[in-house]
Amino acid sequence: MKKFFLLGLIITSSVFLYAAGLRLGMTGAVKQKVKELDKKVREKKAATTTVDTSTVAVKMPIAEWRIDEPGTGAPWGIALDSVSNMYASEIFSNKIKKFSPTGTFITQWGSAGTGNSQFDRPKFIDVDGSNNVYVADNMNGRVQKFSSAGTYITQWGGYGNGNGQFNGPTGIAVDIAADVVYVVDSNNSRVQKFSSTGTYITQWGSLGTGNGQFQFVDFVNCQQGPEGDIAVDSTGAVYVVDNWNRRIQKFSSTGAYITQWGSNGSGNGQFLYPTGIAVDSTGAVYVIQGADIAKYAP
């Protein structure tokens, strides 16, 4: 199942997106960052472009519920399992929360720390075909795997730049058919591929602007945002949000570069700061930036 970025936008199981689908209890710092990014997008769009509504699918929520108390958790990632239960990560309360498809709270797990089932800013999450939950435990430099009930199963990673190590894991995507997990290693400017049990398989990427290179973090100005989301389509192709290069890159399952689109700007097909990505069953790609969602043909 696919996961999505929660700060301001959410995606439904039918893969339509809408703004403010959940009442988000963000902390002041996170809320201010989102407001600034959204303001930049809106100002430039208003000044230079007319939005092509054929590329945007906007939908009002059919239900809504609060994930956390105001200002306590900052919900970040969301994933749906095979029966549409929802899992949400909270980066500041260091918890994963599980809800029914109608929003009824089921369970939660996690606390601040470095031990098993503890987190330091969990970011994106995803769910496999057995409804196991994978969490990018960002500041602990690892991935943790849990059962759907929150029981700890395993972990892998550790701080560093070697094979299987991480420096700020952010995006995570499970290819259910292939039983593999892709992780964006943001500060190492690469994508790493693992088996579902954490065995290292391969990697690709480096810091730069060329094909197959990434800039998930603005190292020059020391800026970070909701960096490095990733998605997998039904053919096994991998899509990566290359945030500060303002583009989407597409790769084969082995990391071979296929294509890219996007550039810095506010026109159709351009990005000021893309943050989230999803691929539906037809192969259409949805990209989030600010409060806008763009849909691209397969």
Side-chain angles (χ1 to χ4, degrees):
M1 297 295 105
K2 188 63 183 80
K3 75 280 162 285
F4 307 98
F5 180 56
L6 258 179
L7 290 182
L9 293 165
I10 193 170
I11 188 168
T12 70
S13 58
S14 60
V15 203
F16 286 98
L17 296 103
Y18 55 89
L22 295 178
R23 297 174 184 151
L24 303 181
M26 293 181 284
T27 62
V30 176
K31 185 180 291 184
Q32 183 61 34
K33 180 64 175 176
V34 174
K35 285 182 177 179
E36 290 172 359
L37 291 171
D38 186 38
K39 183 173 183 290
K40 290 178 182 178
V41 172
R42 291 182 181 277
E43 285 178 347
K44 289 206 172 185
K45 278 188 176 292
T48 63
T49 67
T50 299
V51 176
D52 180 0
T53 57
S54 66
T55 65
V56 180
V58 178
K59 192 175 184 179
M60 293 303 294
I62 59 174
E64 62 181 9
W65 59 91
R66 184 176 297 283
I67 289 179
D68 67 344
E69 293 304 311
T72 62
W76 188 277
I78 182 173
L80 303 177
D81 67 18
S82 61
V83 294
S84 296
N85 290 318
M86 188 191 79
Y87 304 81
S89 60
E90 292 182 355
I91 60 172
F92 295 135
S93 66
N94 293 297
K95 288 182 173 63
I96 306 299
K97 292 185 176 180
K98 179 180 179 180
F99 299 86
S100 74
T102 58
T104 301
F105 175 79
I106 298 174
T107 190
Q108 68 179 14
W109 65 91
S111 61
T114 60
N116 297 346
S117 301
Q118 293 186 309
F119 305 107
D120 190 348
R121 299 201 177 187
K123 291 202 169 178
F124 290 109
I125 60 178
D126 206 358
V127 180
D128 68 17
S130 299
N131 295 334
N132 297 313
V133 181
Y134 300 76
V135 182
D137 188 5
N138 182 260
M139 298 299 287
N140 282 329
R142 64 185 178 182
V143 170
Q144 294 196 67
K145 179 180 178 179
F146 304 88
S147 74
S148 61
T151 302
Y152 172 83
I153 297 175
T154 190
Q155 65 175 278
W156 64 89
Y159 180 79
N161 57 16
N163 295 346
Q165 294 181 310
F166 301 110
N167 184 358
T170 52
I172 190 165
V174 178
D175 185 338
I176 293 175
D179 198 30
V180 296
V181 181
Y182 298 91
V183 183
V184 172
D185 188 9
S186 62
N187 292 327
N188 284 327
S189 305
R190 64 184 179 180
V191 172
Q192 295 196 70
K193 179 180 179 181
F194 302 87
S195 73
S196 61
T197 58
T199 300
Y200 171 83
I201 298 173
T202 191
Q203 66 176 280
W204 66 90
S206 60
L207 179 62
T209 61
N211 296 345
Q213 294 184 306
F214 304 108
Q215 189 171 351
F216 300 119
V217 179
D218 184 356
F219 291 106
V220 175
N221 298 305
C222 298
Q223 295 187 55
Q224 283 186 292
E227 68 277 9
D229 198 9
I230 190 168
V232 182
D233 69 17
S234 60
T235 70
V238 180
Y239 300 78
V240 182
V241 179
D242 188 6
N243 309 84
W244 288 100
N245 283 329
R246 276 81 171 187
R247 64 185 178 182
I248 306 300
Q249 295 198 68
K250 180 180 179 180
F251 302 89
S252 73
S253 61
T254 59
Y257 171 83
I258 297 175
T259 190
Q260 65 176 281
W261 69 91
S263 60
N264 187 17
S266 55
N268 291 335
Q270 294 184 308
F271 302 110
L272 294 174
Y273 190 79
T275 55
I277 192 166
V279 185
D280 69 18
S281 59
T282 71
V285 180
Y286 301 77
V287 180
I288 298 171
Q289 67 164 347
D292 297 316
I293 310 96
K295 177 181 178 181
Y296 299 90

